[in-house]
Amino acid sequence: MRSERIRAVSALAVMVTAAFASVGCGNFGTIDTHREVPASETTSTVTQTTTEPTEATTVPEDKRVHVVAAGDNLIHYSVYKNAEQYAGGYGYDFKPIYKNVKNIIESADLAILNQETIISESNEVRGANGGALLFNSPPEVADAVIDLGFDVFTMANNHLLDYGTQGLTESINFWRAREQESKITTLGAYLNEDDANKIRVREVNGVKIAFLAYAEHLNGFSIPSDSPLRVVMNHEEDVIERQIKEASQIADAVIVSAHWGVEDTIIVSDDRKELAKKMVDWGADVILGCHTHTAETMEWIQRDDGTKGFVYYSMGNFVCAQTDNFNLVGELADFDIVIDGETNELTLENVGAIPTIVHYDDGNFSNMRLYSYSQYTPELAAGHGVPYAIPQGTYRDFGWDVVNRIINDAIPEEFRKLDK
């Protein structure tokens, strides 16, 4: 996917010397910087000098990184039970849920996921059992999404303290162990202040990319004052400004994960627009919004110097077991980071979003799987189980027209990638 530009420079110098001798007509002159022409010569003489072509000058090729990012990996109870069924009752197998989009994820140079639920191995309550929105997922979730091809996992979200500081500490340590095993990067929840101030950077195709992640709230919970655990919140703008500016100094590109907004709406609040503008002005190149469980709009944000950043206000759900139609259509952010080989300037190219659909076959959420829009069909949409699911949702109608309406309302036409 790289582009190569080569400027070849060659030179061929020819010098012509002619002598004219004429009787009675005078001497019209000689042009020869190499020797004198004897007056006795009566024929013209040409002296040719050729210089060797210079070696081709190669312009450094552009560096390019193709990035895909997904929203909330929300392991509801029914998602967890699907994984149990896929495993035949022996453990959990989440891979069949994601398999239809694996080619999209693994073909990216860099893939990023918001992991919405903790993984605490000492606690056996899984996936919001009994309907309580307190989430804890088995390690097989990590197996599936790492196998899918994700490289970076953001954890700054409102469910971090669902099982207290013990659950969060165990989850951080779990992912740190996976970092060593699988060469992944995790961020957004930290063991202490020093850990939170270590900017995570990955080098991909020669491009250094820094990652930061922030959360809006923790569902009413708070980290006790005597705990060293650290989550940077959206209102800590002095910390966010400092970290983004530091990241822009040590990396070629800065990607920020922002967990923000109001759930179940596609309206982008003014405070999010204002914070997004500040982040881009401070040096963020891409903002990946999460949390609302709905696919929302996206836009370019221009800095005073004319350069631009891009914000996805919300990518919606990657996977979930919700029962309103707008929760079942999400976005995969899809773009290229390009570093100019001559100027070292960063640009974003091919920026857009791939719509995705969470599908299940009946009111029991059975046979759950994920599709990209290009894989989905009117027949599948007509057979979606959401109209029959319990608990009852408000927006229970579903069909091909509903899917397209949600996409059209959320993703501006210029950014829709419907063929991937």
Side-chain angles (χ1 to χ4, degrees), residues 102-296:
K102 184 173 183 178
N103 65 313
I104 298 174
I105 306 303
E106 66 181 3
S107 65
D109 298 316
L110 174 70
I112 306 165
L113 176 67
N114 174 53
Q115 180 53 44
E116 188 79 1
T117 60
I118 65 166
I119 295 177
S120 174
E121 296 182 86
S122 68
N123 197 310
E124 293 304 316
V125 178
R126 304 293 189 188
N129 197 1
L133 296 179
L134 300 172
F135 298 109
N136 182 28
S137 302
E140 288 83 354
V141 171
D143 295 337
V145 291
I146 291 173
D147 175 75
L148 197 58
F150 285 105
D151 310 289
V152 177
F153 297 87
T154 65
M155 296 185 291
N157 65 70
N158 52 305
H159 290 288
L160 287 176
L161 291 177
D162 282 4
Y163 285 87
T165 56
Q166 179 184 348
L168 179 54
T169 301
E170 289 182 10
S171 190
I172 294 171
N173 287 329
F174 169 84
W175 283 105
R176 294 294 168 79
R178 289 300 177 96
E179 284 184 346
Q180 301 301 316
E181 297 171 6
S182 305
K183 308 303 180 185
I184 61 173
T185 299
T186 61
L187 68 150
Y190 308 98
L191 293 172
N192 51 55
E193 188 71 28
D194 288 342
D195 188 21
N197 284 319
K198 293 177 182 175
I199 308 298
R200 274 56 174 175
V201 178
R202 289 178 72 95
E203 184 168 337
V204 185
N205 296 345
V207 180
K208 292 182 179 179
I209 304 173
F211 304 92
L212 298 164
Y214 307 110
E216 188 162 291
H217 61 82
L218 300 173
N219 284 350
F221 298 114
S222 60
I223 297 173
S225 59
D226 60 349
S227 171
L229 294 174
R230 183 73 164 103
V231 179
V232 181
M233 311 304 291
N234 290 342
H235 64 81
E236 299 181 72
E237 292 190 10
D238 57 333
V239 178
I240 296 173
E241 179 180 4
R242 172 176 55 80
Q243 290 190 340
I244 292 177
K245 287 182 175 179
E246 179 184 343
S248 66
Q249 292 299 311
I250 63 176
D252 300 304
V254 179
I255 297 178
V256 176
S257 175
H259 212 264
W260 57 9
V262 178
E263 295 184 4
D264 295 339
T265 180
I266 64 171
I267 298 172
V268 180
S269 56
D270 289 340
D271 61 330
R272 274 192 291 166
K273 292 181 179 179
E274 292 168 2
L275 182 54
K277 180 64 166 69
K278 290 177 181 178
M279 288 178 172
V280 170
D281 285 343
W282 293 331
D285 296 297
V286 180
I287 301 171
L288 301 173
C290 302
H291 176 62
T292 68
H293 308 304
T294 54
E296 292 186 345

Side-chain angles (χ1 to χ4, degrees), residues 92-110:
Y92 313 97
D93 184 4
F94 291 87
K95 294 178 183 178
I97 298 174
Y98 304 106
K99 68 178 182 180
N100 291 330
V101 297
K102 184 173 183 178
N103 65 313
I104 298 174
I105 306 303
E106 66 181 3
S107 65
D109 298 316
L110 174 70

Side-chain angles (χ1 to χ4, degrees), residues 380-400:
L380 281 167
H384 201 291
V386 67
Y388 314 102
I390 298 175
Q392 294 293 314
T394 304
Y395 296 87
R396 303 305 293 275
D397 57 322
F398 210 84
W400 191 240

